[in-house]
Amino acid sequence: MRKGLCFRLRKILLCVVGLYVAIPFLIKLCPGIQAKLIFLNFVRVPYFIDLKKPQDQGLNHTCNYYLQPEEDVTLGVWHTVPSVWWKNAQGKDQMWYEDALASSHPIILYLHGNAGTRGGDHRVELYKVLSSLGYHVVTFDYRGWGDSVGTPSERGMTYDALHVFDWIKARSGDNPVYIWGHSLGTGVATNLVRRLCERETPPDALILESPFTNIREEAKSHPFSVIYRYFPGFDWFFLDPITSSGIQFANDENVKHISCSLLILHAEDDPVVPFQLGRKLYNIAAPSRSFRDFKVQFIPFHSDLGYRHKYIYKSPELPRILREFLGKSEPGRQH
C-alpha cells in the first residue's frame, strides 16, 4: 500500500513539474496568452451588474452613454455629475448631462486598470468621493472591457482615451479637465497625455494612482511572476512575448515628454504594483526638463493604513491632497 502511495505521489509531482516547465514554452509560442493576462478584460467583476444602470451601484446622478471612436468600436461611458447636483440630475437625459460639462465644475477623466469594468466596487467608491468634492467624473470601459465592443490593444486603449478626452473638451468650455489613471490605466494615461502635449493641448493636470515604470518591470515585479522569477530565461520566456505583442506602457519614457502638473499617489503596502516602482517613476519625472514649469508631487500612504493597491480612495487626507494640488495654479515643484 505504501508503495502504491509513493507511486501516486511521484506521478503527481512529475505532472506538476511538467506543467511548471511547459507553461513558459506555451507563453513563448503563444504571446497572445501573455497579452490576455495583462489586460484581463475577460474577468468581469462584479458579475451580473447592468452597466446601463449605474444607479444600481448607488450612482443616482450618473448617465450611461455610448461613444464610437472608430468603426466597429463602441465604448460604454459613465458620467457622474458633482453630488451637489444630485436632485437636479434625477430623470434627466443625456443632453442635460452633456450640457452640464460646461458648468463651473472641474472634470476628471478616470482611466481604470485591468480586469473588471467601470462598475468595479473600488472604482464606484472613488467616483462617489470625487463627486462629493465637486468634480464631474467621466469614466469608460476600453474596447473589449465590460459592454464596450472591440479588441484590446495598447494603441486601441490609448485612442479610446483620446476620443473621450476630445469629446469632453468639445463640451466643457473653459473648465479644467484632469486625467486620473490607476494601475494599468496609468500606462494609458501617460500615453494619452504625452500625445496631448505633443499636439499642444495638454490637460490641466495628471494624477497617477499606483503607477509602474513600464510593463516589463511591472510584469517582473508582479506577484504572479514569483514562481518563475528565477527560471532560466525568464525575460525571454515571459517578458519578450509582451513586447512582441506591442505592449509597452512606457510611463518612464512618457513622463519625459509631458508638460503639465503631475501627482503620484502610491500605497507602501501595494502588493500588485510595488511601491518602489511608483517612487522610481517620480524620481525620473521630477528632474525632467518637461516639468520645469509645473508641479510634480509624490504622496506615499503608509503601509499601516492598509490601502494596498486600490483603496486610496478611503484616505481621509485625499480631499485635502487634491484641493491643495489642483487648487493652486502657480508653478513650482513640490517634493
Side-chain angles (χ1 to χ4, degrees), residues 10 18 26 37 81 89 96 113 130 134 147 152 156-157 164 166 178 182-184 190 209 216 219 237 243 280 304 315:
R10 191 182 307 145
L26 182 63
L37 292 176
V81 296
W96 182 88
L130 296 176
D147 57 354
M157 294 163 72
V164 177
D166 286 342
Y178 309 121
H182 172 245
S183 193
L184 188 67
T190 65
E209 179 189 357
R216 286 179 71 100
F237 279 112
T243 306
K280 182 177 179 180
D304 289 348
S315 172

Side-chain angles (χ1 to χ4, degrees), residues 12-36:
I12 291 170
L13 181 61
L14 286 172
C15 288
V16 170
V17 171
L19 184 63
Y20 177 80
V21 173
I23 286 175
F25 288 95
L26 182 63
I27 289 175
K28 185 64 180 178
L29 292 171
C30 306
I33 294 175
Q34 190 74 313
K36 288 186 179 298

